[in-house]
Amino acid sequence: MTTQLSLRPREAARALGVSERWLWEKTKTGEIPCLKAGRCTLYPVAMLEEWLRSRAARQPEGGDRS
């Protein structure tokens, strides 16, 4: 089985449990890490995992902030 190294926008949104619109907004502001490959936007899985870890570490324990 091959592990995906990066995700396309629709796959990344699904993996994060957010809408594609929200993902694009956060991508435009630079909040969500991504890479450009020509005209294609890719979301490296390792970068998304690190982004989630850093966000989780900043939230209060047991907090459910959106």
Side-chain angles (χ1 to χ4, degrees), residues 21-36:
R21 181 184 195 102
W22 184 91
L23 180 68
W24 279 119
E25 289 173 8
K26 298 303 179 181
T27 298
K28 286 182 201 176
T29 63
E31 185 175 340
I32 298 280
C34 68
L35 298 174
K36 288 290 209 173

Side-chain angles (χ1 to χ4, degrees), residues 28-48:
K28 286 182 201 176
T29 63
E31 185 175 340
I32 298 280
C34 68
L35 298 174
K36 288 290 209 173
R39 295 186 332 177
C40 184
T41 302
L42 298 173
Y43 297 88
V45 172
M47 291 173 80
L48 290 177

Side-chain angles (χ1 to χ4, degrees), residues 2-64:
T2 304
T3 302
Q4 274 188 280
L5 298 176
S6 64
L7 305 172
R8 300 248 180 190
R10 180 171 289 161
E11 298 167 323
R14 191 176 310 124
L16 291 170
V18 300
S19 70
E20 287 182 64
R21 181 184 195 102
W22 184 91
L23 180 68
W24 279 119
E25 289 173 8
K26 298 303 179 181
T27 298
K28 286 182 201 176
T29 63
E31 185 175 340
I32 298 280
C34 68
L35 298 174
K36 288 290 209 173
R39 295 186 332 177
C40 184
T41 302
L42 298 173
Y43 297 88
V45 172
M47 291 173 80
L48 290 177
E49 289 173 339
E50 180 55 36
W51 178 80
L52 283 172
R53 274 193 291 277
S54 70
R55 299 250 323 165
R58 291 193 320 237
Q59 287 196 7
E61 196 167 315
D64 185 26

